[in-house]
Amino acid sequence: TAYTNRGLKYYYEGRYADSAAMQMKAIELAPDDHRAWGRLAESYRLMGDEDEAAVEAYASAIRLAEARLEINGRDWRTKAMLATYYVHSNRGPEAVAMVEDALADSEKAPEILLYAALVWHKLGNEDAALSALEEMVERDATFRAYAAEEPDLKTLRGNPRFTRLLES
């Protein structure tokens, strides 16, 4: 947990190589944790020159998250994370179905609305992404910081709805 959390800190600071290094340490201690594999994949993807490594890490994250769901099919956090792994693995329809299940199972928890926004944004549905972010902040304003810091949402900067969301 300490390594993956340090890796998340580096991720949000834009220090993707450092983030990847911390996720690798987390994986050494917990090789079956899909979250560390998913965070490693995200770090590799955002580094820009580690495409093959990102694909492999996403494949591991998917395999492990799917196995976890075989044990507990109502684990909405795992479903939401799996949706992001799918979308970055060019499995859009599966990503949408999984994030919709996660939203239903979680009763639209703010955390899951963030994952939904990431999926819809990646698929090019900016309106749905912004709607999810607006509902997320309406449900829990502290999640505004996640929207502001999430690297995959930086392309929304300059959008009036996103600007209002961050300023509210």
Side-chain angles (χ1 to χ4, degrees):
T1 301
Y3 286 124
T4 197
N5 285 344
R6 173 69 56 98
L8 276 174
K9 177 184 179 296
Y10 292 152
Y11 173 83
Y12 283 111
E13 291 174 353
R15 297 171 53 188
Y16 305 120
D18 292 331
S19 175
M22 289 294 107
Q23 299 308 336
M24 287 299 298
K25 287 182 182 264
I27 289 166
E28 287 175 20
L29 296 172
D32 295 332
D33 188 338
H34 72 87
R35 297 168 300 182
W37 282 102
R39 291 171 183 149
L40 176 65
E42 291 169 351
S43 296
Y44 282 154
R45 178 175 54 83
L46 292 170
M47 286 168 63
D49 60 352
E50 297 290 338
D51 293 339
E52 187 174 322
V55 168
E56 291 174 13
Y58 276 124
S60 292
I62 288 168
R63 179 181 48 78
L64 293 167
E66 288 175 341
R68 184 174 178 129
L69 288 175
E70 286 179 18
I71 295 167
N72 179 4
R74 295 194 49 87
D75 180 348
W76 44 268
R77 283 187 178 91
T78 296
K79 286 181 180 183
M81 290 178 188
L82 181 56
T84 64
Y85 310 154
Y86 281 155
V87 80
H88 288 292
S89 300
N90 298 314
R91 295 169 66 175
E94 291 167 284
V96 170
M98 192 61 63
V99 83
E100 287 176 354
D101 281 353
L103 285 165
D105 289 348
S106 72
E107 298 179 3
K108 292 190 173 183
E111 175 184 357
I112 306 312
L113 286 160
L114 177 61
Y115 287 110
L118 292 169
V119 167
W120 288 319
H121 181 60
K122 171 70 175 165
L123 293 173
N125 190 340
E126 193 170 288
D127 186 58
L130 287 164
S131 293
L133 292 171
E134 289 162 347
E135 186 173 352
M136 174 189 76
V137 169
E138 183 179 300
R139 288 175 175 261
D140 185 343
T142 62
F143 276 82
R144 180 178 287 115
Y146 292 104
E149 298 300 321
E150 177 56 51
D152 286 324
L153 298 177
K154 290 194 185 297
T155 58
L156 292 174
R157 292 185 188 266
N159 179 297
R161 284 176 67 189
F162 191 68
T163 301
R164 278 192 304 277
L165 175 102
L166 297 181
E167 293 174 348
S168 298

